[in-house]
Amino acid sequence: MLDYDDAEFHVVKPGAYVVCAVTGARISLKALRYWNVDKQEPYADAAAAMKGFGLKGHAE
C-alpha cells in the first residue's frame, strides 16, 4: 500500500507491486511513474493515467 504525494510516493505497507486503477495491470514499484494524488490511484502508463484523470487520449 502506498501514499501518493505530488512528486513521490511513500510505502505504507510493504509489497512488490501495485495494481493499475484503470487496467488492472500489476506495476512494480520500480516502474511506477504515474499516479493521481487526489484519487490516490496508480496507473500503468500515460494512456491509463489520461483515462484516470478523465482526459481523452489521442486515439479516441
Side-chain angles (χ1 to χ4, degrees):
M1 179 177 206
L2 302 179
D3 180 35
Y4 302 98
D5 205 352
D6 287 329
E8 60 191 7
F9 57 84
H10 307 279
V11 177
V12 176
K13 183 177 177 184
Y17 66 89
V18 291
V19 177
C20 176
V22 173
T23 67
R26 289 183 179 185
I27 311 161
S28 73
L29 298 186
K30 290 182 180 182
L32 182 60
R33 300 286 181 267
Y34 304 95
W35 59 82
N36 184 317
V37 174
D38 294 329
K39 293 182 178 181
Q40 291 291 292
E41 294 180 336
Y43 304 117
D45 55 31
M50 294 284 285
K51 287 183 182 179
F53 278 92
L55 304 171
K56 293 184 179 182
H58 293 290
E60 294 182 55

